[in-house]
Amino acid sequence: MDNNNSYPPSPFPYKPGYGYSHGPASPNQYPGPAHHHPSGSGSYAYPQHSHHGAPYTHSHTGPLDYRYQSPSTSLSPTTAPAQTSEYNSDLYPLHVYPAAPPPRPGLQPFGSFQYGSYHHLQRLESGRLQPDVQSGLPPRLSCDYPSHHRHQGSSLSGSGGDSIANSGHLDISSPIYPPVYPPIDNQFANMHLPDDQNQPSVPASPASSSSSPSSPPQKYHSGPLPRTNKHSGSGAIYGQRISSFSGWETSPTVKAERPSPVATPIAPRPKFPYGGTGMQLVEVSSSKTSLRVLLLHGDLDIWVYEAKNLPNMDMFHKRIGDMFNRLPGNMSSKIEGQINRKITSDPYVTITITGATLGRTFVISNDENPVWMQNFIVPVAHYAAEVNFVVKDNDIVGSQHIGTVSVPLEHIYGGGKIQGFFPILNASGKPCKVGAVLSLSIQYNPIEQLSLYHHGIGAGPHYPGVPGTYFPLRRGGTVTLYQDAHVPDGCLPNLRLDNGTQYIHGKCWRDIFDAIRHARRLIYITGWSEGVRVLLLIWDDPTSRSILGYKTDGVMQTHDEETRRFFKNSSVQVLLCPRVAGKRHSWAKQREVEVIYTHHQKTVIVDADAGNNRRKIIAFLGGLDMCDGRYDTPRHPLFATLQTVHSDDYHNPTYAGNVTGCPREPWHDLHCKIDGPAAYDVLTNFEERWMKAAKPHGIKKLKMSYDDALLRIERMPEILGMADAPCVRDDDPEGWHVQVFRSIDSNSVKGFPKNPRDATKRNLVCGKNVLIDMSIHTAYVKAIRAAQHFIYIENQYFIGSSYNWNQYKDIGANNLIPIEIALKIAEKIRAHQRFAAYIVIPMWPEGNPTGAPTQRILFWQHKTMQMMYELIYKALVEVGLEDAYSPQDYLNFYCLGNREAPDAGAPPDNQPAANTPQGLSRKNRRFMIYVHSKGMIVDDEYVIIGSANINQRSLEGTRDTEIAMGAYQPHHTWARKLSSPQGQIYGYRMSLWAEHLGFLEECFTRPESIECARRVRSLGEANWEQFASNEVTEMRGHLLKYPVEVDRNGKVKPLPGYETFPDVGGNITGSFLAIHENLTI
């Protein structure tokens, strides 16, 4: 049964190793930024580490040498036919793998983590099988696994469990099974082994000995192996192998390895993805060797074709049918005709690796021979030994495990493609049914061979954006970037951009107010003027209710009921939209979704003047809510505005009880405005959600028609459609290309395909009984992989890649973002190139820092940090730089805080200085600035802003609903300028740094440099000392080094003397307290 609440401890007995071998690389050459001396810059003497040798060469002229391997000619991207979409007004060529892909419904991108509630896969203890060779008899299956292969050993509870139980060994009396497909067996005479000399081979491991040319090729095994009738020591399976696996020598112990990248061309795909003649034999390995744990970093190209001869798992209906078979003939035939419509399995396949779900096929009802024909292009960043294809039977409550096919990573690591029929083994290691097989293919494309990630963001005039998403890249728009609700004039220093233009600091709430005031036809959120269609779509918090006069504010204090009452009997239509699960989900799952998860999107959509008496659509989106407590400026006052601006807008959920005289909680956020074609995609998102929420239910269905309140803009000639909306010319240096992303599923929108077979045509992924748009995760992964210099993140949460933590691997926080950042840094270290990542998070999640949910979130955050720093340290050790550089020279976490000295003429605080959070906060006059931002800047050329946090809730697509945008200026990219771009995104980052640090310095123009990384860290450490000091002083800068200690070995520990947060308490590195996991990840 899929169960979100079951997390039995099952740590791997192995620990990932990182013994990579890499050839030497030349130092990085830096381009020269323009001489920049922003106003307000300060000068700080910073001690230089002169005793360390610097392997990095800094040059201020010339283009940056990315030092990527020169791809072979077979790897050069080809141009595929432009893809069309009903949302796409422009056609862009896409760079794809060489050779024409097989015909398929579409691509299915996945985010390498769970979509439903399957959280951990328990691997078969029996592992690999070897045919029992007997003269004149078919082979017999055995389960002779070496003990050290049992790298995940949790147990199955109940037959309806979703995990696979540890299996025992097959005894010698195991039955002998006939061949799976006699017609295929009859073709054996026409089969031949491939010529291995013409196939790419897997690179040898650094730790392995070289094979002699005369030695036989390494044998193949699939975990649960395909059955064979070849009576030799090696055996054979039915299937087709696209590459040979000669050259692999398995290690006697399980350890993580990453062979040196080689220019192995991606094997060309067959003309047809499935079927055809000319089946080939693939050899089977001996069971004496163990599986190696390898790093998969790149994409998996997987096809799940079909299954045959699955067992009937619906035994309840089968028994009823058997009972009626005993009735008299006429009666039996009549009743049986009804029973037989639904008496067998409803199968689907889940693809997992190290317990994380990579993908899932749709459910096919009542079919023992299902045909899926689904393709998955899956980004992976996992240390693993094998990929598992878990076949399940969908039940009303959860699911039943049918069997598993496992493919060892050794055999796909060199880029070869495996394709064929594989027997499906049950939890005991035996075939789940005689003749039960799964047809699939799998190919690994390492990141070194994926040219899409080699040259930064926005390379070239035909850059396609993020491929495989619901909404395509839209050209010719404009974007306005906002920090905080308001930036007063003169609050931040002036910034000069390329071409001598000056960066304009946006005023978010004022611009939203002006847009609403000037709207004529529609305001989709809120609005006032007569004749305007005003629709407000709010998450219906199930904990806020008004029953018999008793009112509750709700856990999240969204004021949803108050908003509905305010607009009652007005022209404003308010629709409270609950977060619901699908009808086919279990009762427990429906309650979980309704109570725990939210509609988290934050958009305002209005019509605006387009000239010539026409109207166009513009949209605002980001992290800034239109509610109390959000108005703030870059100064982030604590006490100074309590009697003025914030007298009726006090917000600080940290305190319980009397808050008189306590500091407010300052609020920092990111937001944006989109003007151009992409704004219509934001409108489409609103319309799809409104139509789903406004759909009549219950007795309202009896009405012949209903008014869904949405305007049909295609029927209004005054409002321009997307194709006619004004666009910025390609030669305009201030133009933007914009793409909209979402985390949402078919339970929250109307318009997704009814038939899951059509999902891939719209770039949607399949969950269990649901279709999912999880393109926000896809966008983050793509941007991080393409980064060449630095990454700057501000986010309310930072939790992920739990499958690579040192413990609690099965918690389910399987998004790739943290490990992708760490692997990017490790890649640059091995290439002797500079790279830096700056991550700004809140000091603690909003609320009581000592409470169980907050402590658990901090605990998961600490595990995420630890995993990243360990990867970076191991990369430094590989290249011998662990003494010269520390992990914090590449990755640093920060938070924001403020402290206000009392005014000289202010009356003294007469309240007693009680030893409580309120009393200590009044005394010490300090508090954190809450980071509510959800954004990322890459290389000063690409920006992502939205409502999605970096955690499982926001990125999975089946939990909180989210929206974001990714954008860049094509005239301000590294590829265009061959040096550091200084367009609007550069100005935005520098403006944020000016807000956080209080001034700007020249080194801030080169965030990737060691000088900048160390300078910002030293300023953050100094600011933390001022914040934590017993002496109350006014703070100029707000950026604080996050209060943990990271030693040179990458170990993350509490900061000595500051194990808890000042004044308010709570362990900084969190505590493992019992709490509902889906709430905290």
Side-chain angles (χ1 to χ4, degrees):
M1 179 186 302
D2 286 3
N3 188 350
N4 276 325
N5 303 318
S6 175
Y7 309 104
S10 56
F12 296 143
Y14 59 79
K15 293 184 181 297
Y18 306 88
Y20 312 151
S21 65
H22 296 275
S26 301
N28 190 15
Q29 300 294 326
Y30 281 101
H35 294 288
H36 179 68
H37 300 283
S39 62
S41 63
S43 59
Y44 279 71
Y46 185 73
Q48 300 297 322
H49 298 266
S50 58
H51 58 285
H52 295 315
Y56 307 107
T57 301
H58 300 277
S59 172
H60 296 286
T61 59
L64 181 69
D65 181 5
Y66 292 117
R67 294 294 178 191
Y68 272 90
Q69 263 185 293
S70 300
S72 63
T73 55
S74 62
L75 293 179
S76 59
T78 57
T79 302
Q83 297 181 351
T84 59
S85 166
E86 64 180 280
Y87 297 102
N88 189 2
S89 60
D90 302 306
L91 301 178
Y92 312 113
L94 301 178
H95 294 291
V96 298
Y97 304 133
R104 58 181 183 242
L107 299 181
Q108 184 132 262
F110 280 86
S112 295
F113 55 84
Q114 339 251 20
Y115 307 108
S117 15
Y118 179 80
H119 280 288
H120 59 280
L121 172 67
Q122 301 175 7
R123 301 184 186 281
L124 295 179
E125 195 171 332
S126 55
R128 296 172 294 170
L129 305 177
Q130 180 184 15
D132 180 12
V133 180
Q134 300 182 11
S135 177
L137 293 175
R140 181 177 298 167
L141 300 177
S142 83
C143 293
D144 186 16
Y145 261 44
S147 60
H148 54 266
H149 176 59
R150 302 168 191 169
H151 49 277
Q152 190 169 353
S154 308
S155 60
L156 173 69
S157 1
S159 60
D162 206 71
S163 302
I164 305 169
N166 295 336
S167 63
H169 292 276
L170 287 177
D171 57 40
I172 195 68
S173 61
S174 298
I176 298 173
Y177 297 100
V180 180
Y181 293 115
I184 299 179
D185 295 342
N186 296 338
Q187 300 179 23
F188 262 48
N190 298 325
M191 289 187 175
H192 63 278
L193 290 173
D195 181 5
D196 288 343
Q197 295 178 355
N198 296 328
Q199 301 292 342
S201 61
V202 179
S205 168
S208 63
S209 60
S210 59
S211 301
S212 136
S214 60
S215 61
Q218 181 64 32
K219 302 166 185 178
Y220 169 72
H221 112 99
S222 66
L225 285 173
R227 199 178 298 104
T228 175
N229 67 352
K230 182 176 177 67
H231 312 307
S232 68
S234 60
I237 66 170
Y238 306 129
Q240 181 178 4
R241 182 177 61 172
I242 306 303
S243 74
S244 118
F245 305 111
S246 60
W248 275 104
E249 292 292 341
T250 54
S251 171
T253 59
V254 177
K255 89 174 174 179
E257 300 185 30
R258 187 181 189 277
S260 300
V262 293
T264 304
I266 300 172
R269 302 181 182 182
K271 184 175 182 181
F272 299 100
Y274 178 64
T277 59
M279 301 288 286
Q280 299 178 353
L281 296 179
V282 180
E283 297 182 351
V284 179
S285 70
S286 165
S287 63
K288 302 295 184 182
T289 56
S290 63
L291 292 180
R292 292 190 298 176
V293 177
L294 302 168
L295 170 62
L296 279 190
H297 190 208
D299 290 348
L300 286 178
D301 188 350
I302 297 172
W303 279 89
V304 177
Y305 300 120
E306 63 174 328
K308 288 185 177 295
N309 302 316
L310 296 180
N312 182 1
M313 306 298 288
D314 200 344
M315 299 308 296
F316 175 75
H317 287 91
K318 185 176 186 300
R319 291 191 184 100
I320 294 179
D322 293 342
M323 179 181 65
F324 284 113
N325 285 337
R326 301 188 183 96
L327 298 176
N330 292 338
M331 181 181 299
S332 174
S333 62
K334 290 180 180 179
I335 299 176
E336 196 175 87
Q338 302 296 323
I339 296 293
N340 282 340
R341 293 182 182 176
K342 185 71 175 180
I343 62 169
T344 192
S345 302
D346 305 322
Y348 65 99
V349 179
T350 298
I351 308 166
T352 68
I353 185 169
T354 63
T357 299
L358 302 182
R360 180 182 283 112
T361 69
F362 51 82
V363 177
I364 297 181
S365 300
N366 195 35
D367 198 338
E368 296 178 15
N369 298 282
V371 177
W372 291 284
M373 297 298 295
Q374 278 190 267
N375 182 224
F376 305 84
I377 305 296
V378 185
V380 286
H382 300 75
Y383 288 90
E386 57 191 359
V387 179
N388 297 282
F389 296 80
V390 185
V391 185
K392 302 181 185 179
D393 171 40
N394 183 40
D395 283 341
I396 297 176
V397 179
S399 63
Q400 286 182 282
H401 173 252
I402 296 176
T404 303
V405 171
S406 297
V407 177
L409 301 186
E410 293 176 328
H411 298 156
I412 63 173
Y413 207 70
K417 181 176 181 180
I418 295 175
Q419 177 173 316
F421 290 91
F422 298 79
I424 303 169
L425 302 188
N426 61 21
S428 63
K430 302 177 182 179
C432 63
K433 178 184 175 182
V434 174
V437 291
L438 180 65
S439 176
L440 60 91
S441 71
I442 181 170
Q443 183 177 21
Y444 170 53
N445 300 309
I447 198 166
E448 292 86 0
Q449 297 177 9
L450 299 175
S451 61
L452 182 66
Y453 307 129
H454 289 182
H455 305 292
I457 304 291
H462 302 295
Y463 176 70
V466 180
T469 58
Y470 191 83
F471 296 114
L473 181 74
R474 307 293 189 187
R475 300 182 175 219
T478 61
V479 173
T480 303
L481 303 171
Y482 301 108
Q483 61 194 94
D484 303 317
H486 185 67
V487 178
D489 293 336
C491 180
L492 295 173
N494 296 325
L495 288 166
R496 289 291 175 182
L497 310 180
D498 284 340
N499 304 322
T501 59
Q502 181 171 316
Y503 180 76
I504 304 300
H505 303 284
K507 297 174 172 56
C508 184
W509 275 19
R510 190 193 69 179
D511 287 357
I512 293 176
F513 171 77
D514 289 341
I516 291 173
R517 186 163 59 96
H518 292 102
R520 289 186 181 179
R521 293 298 182 184
L522 64 90
I523 301 169
Y524 286 170
I525 290 295
T526 186
W528 291 106
S529 64
E530 182 180 356
V532 179
R533 183 65 56 93
V534 182
L535 304 181
L536 184 58
L537 188 62
I538 307 174
W539 171 51
D540 185 6
D541 184 350
T543 62
S544 64
R545 290 289 180 264
S546 177
I547 303 175
L548 299 177
Y550 178 76
K551 301 176 183 178
T552 60
D553 291 335
V555 174
M556 304 300 290
Q557 297 183 343
T558 58
H559 305 288
D560 54 332
E561 295 291 342
E562 183 179 344
T563 302
R564 178 166 62 178
R565 290 192 296 270
F566 180 84
F567 287 110
K568 190 175 181 180
N569 300 322
S570 76
S571 61
V572 176
Q573 299 195 38
V574 178
L575 184 59
L576 298 189
C577 181
R579 181 70 177 94
V580 297
K583 295 179 181 179
R584 299 178 65 184
H585 285 86
S586 65
W587 182 88
K589 181 66 175 178
Q590 292 182 27
R591 301 290 81 74
E592 174 189 290
V593 170
E594 291 173 4
V595 175
I596 295 180
Y597 303 136
T598 71
H599 288 302
H600 200 235
Q601 295 179 348
K602 310 162 198 312
T603 62
V604 175
I605 304 146
V606 300
D607 67 296
D609 182 26
N612 299 319
N613 296 318
R614 306 293 294 275
R615 310 293 291 177
K616 62 181 179 180
I617 299 297
I618 63 173
F620 298 82
L621 66 83
L624 198 55
D625 297 289
M626 307 290 289
C627 65
D628 55 347
R630 270 48 171 183
Y631 180 82
D632 212 337
T633 69
R635 295 189 177 96
H636 301 294
L638 299 177
F639 300 93
T641 58
L642 290 181
Q643 304 303 319
T644 55
V645 175
H646 293 104
S647 61
D648 295 322
D649 189 25
Y650 182 87
H651 177 79
N652 196 329
T654 301
Y655 305 123
N658 182 18
V659 296
T660 302
C662 293
R664 60 179 288 269
E665 180 179 73
W667 199 271
H668 175 66
D669 227 322
L670 307 180
H671 218 71
C672 71
K673 178 178 75 172
I674 303 172
D675 187 349
Y680 290 79
D681 290 333
V682 183
L683 172 64
T684 296
N685 168 77
F686 183 91
E687 291 173 337
E688 289 179 344
R689 284 195 55 202
W690 183 275
M691 288 188 291
K692 183 72 172 184
K695 184 178 179 180
H697 300 278
I699 195 171
K700 294 182 179 179
K701 289 184 176 180
L702 301 178
K703 291 184 178 181
M704 295 297 294
S705 64
Y706 71 97
D707 179 16
D708 64 10
L710 285 171
L711 290 179
R712 297 289 182 258
I713 64 172
E714 66 275 8
R715 302 176 185 174
M716 305 179 67
E718 178 186 1
I719 301 180
L720 297 170
M722 179 190 293
D724 302 320
C727 295
V728 178
R729 299 190 314 272
D730 288 343
D731 60 354
D732 189 335
E734 294 307 309
W736 288 76
H737 293 177
V738 187
Q739 194 168 5
V740 174
F741 312 113
R742 291 188 298 185
S743 293
I744 204 165
D745 63 31
S746 52
N747 295 317
S748 298
V749 294
K750 183 178 180 181
F752 283 6
K754 299 281 187 186
N755 188 342
R757 295 180 184 273
D758 298 328
T760 54
K761 299 176 184 177
R762 303 291 293 278
N763 293 315
L764 301 172
V765 300
C766 290
K768 186 180 177 184
N769 303 317
V770 69
L771 299 180
I772 310 164
D773 179 354
M774 47 177 297
S775 51
I776 294 178
H777 181 265
T778 303
Y780 268 96
V781 170
K782 196 272 177 188
I784 293 167
R785 288 183 170 186
Q788 300 300 319
H789 308 281
F790 78 92
I791 291 170
Y792 176 69
I793 289 176
E794 291 186 6
N795 206 283
Q796 185 182 2
Y797 297 98
F798 195 82
I799 299 172
S801 310
S802 59
Y803 53 82
N804 204 53
W805 295 352
N806 56 9
Q807 57 182 160
Y808 307 106
K809 294 173 180 288
D810 298 326
I811 200 64
N814 294 322
N815 71 79
L816 299 182
I817 293 173
I819 196 171
E820 286 285 359
I821 295 173
L823 290 175
K824 169 60 68 173
I825 294 172
E827 167 198 319
K828 292 294 185 178
I829 290 173
R830 290 192 296 268
H832 292 269
Q833 296 176 356
R834 273 301 303 168
F835 194 90
Y838 306 80
I839 301 174
V840 181
I841 54 178
M843 195 175 298
W844 67 84
E846 190 178 30
N848 178 11
T850 64
T854 302
Q855 281 292 293
R856 198 65 172 270
I857 292 171
L858 291 167
F859 185 79
W860 302 141
Q861 180 178 280
H862 172 246
K863 290 297 179 187
T864 303
M865 290 181 182
Q866 181 64 74
M867 178 270 299
M868 298 176 71
Y869 279 118
E870 285 181 355
L871 283 172
I872 295 169
Y873 172 70
K874 291 177 186 297
L876 287 170
V877 171
E878 288 175 40
V879 295
L881 292 176
E882 69 274 19
D883 294 329
Y885 296 91
S886 75
Q888 289 189 107
D889 287 332
Y890 301 87
L891 170 67
N892 285 282
F893 288 85
Y894 298 95
C895 57
L896 301 179
N898 198 10
R899 200 165 195 179
E900 283 185 14
D903 293 336
D909 184 2
N910 296 323
Q911 299 190 54
N915 191 25
T916 63
Q918 292 96 317
L920 292 173
S921 297
R922 288 192 297 264
K923 173 186 174 183
N924 294 314
R925 300 183 65 84
R926 62 189 170 195
F927 202 79
M928 72 164 174
I929 299 170
Y930 193 63
V931 178
H932 193 255
S933 315
K934 298 96 169 51
M936 179 172 74
I937 294 173
V938 175
D939 294 345
D940 279 341
E941 66 179 3
Y942 189 79
V943 62
I944 295 177
I945 291 178
S947 65
N949 297 311
I950 297 178
N951 60 6
Q952 205 65 14
R953 291 182 57 128
S954 287
L955 298 173
E956 187 166 294
T958 59
R959 303 187 182 190
D960 293 349
T961 59
E962 311 283 5
I963 192 168
M965 73 93 195
Y968 70 100
Q969 293 183 283
H971 287 262
H972 300 279
T973 66
W974 279 86
R976 180 76 174 243
K977 289 178 57 63
L978 301 179
S979 63
S980 176
Q982 295 189 354
Q984 293 292 324
I985 298 173
Y986 160 83
Y988 189 48
R989 179 187 61 82
M990 292 290 280
S991 180
L992 287 167
W993 284 28
E995 172 184 342
H996 299 333
L997 292 168
F999 55 86
L1000 293 174
E1001 293 183 0
E1002 193 277 334
C1003 71
F1004 297 170
T1005 65
R1006 295 172 284 107
E1008 71 275 18
S1009 67
I1010 189 69
E1011 295 85 1
C1012 183
R1014 289 176 174 173
R1015 175 64 173 149
V1016 173
R1017 186 172 80 244
S1018 70
L1019 292 172
E1021 291 168 347
N1023 287 339
W1024 170 259
E1025 292 295 333
Q1026 184 180 3
F1027 180 85
S1029 171
N1030 291 328
E1031 181 184 359
V1032 179
T1033 56
E1034 194 84 14
M1035 294 188 68
R1036 180 185 183 187
H1038 302 144
L1039 188 75
L1040 316 177
K1041 180 73 172 59
Y1042 196 82
V1044 292
E1045 180 182 71
V1046 183
D1047 65 21
R1048 297 191 70 87
N1049 297 326
K1051 300 299 181 183
V1052 182
K1053 298 170 288 187
L1055 191 64
Y1058 301 104
E1059 289 78 11
T1060 60
F1061 295 109
D1063 301 336
V1064 296
N1067 293 331
I1068 290 176
T1069 56
S1071 304
F1072 189 81
L1073 303 174
I1075 194 67
H1076 197 298
E1077 298 309 336
N1078 291 342
L1079 179 66
T1080 63
I1081 63 171

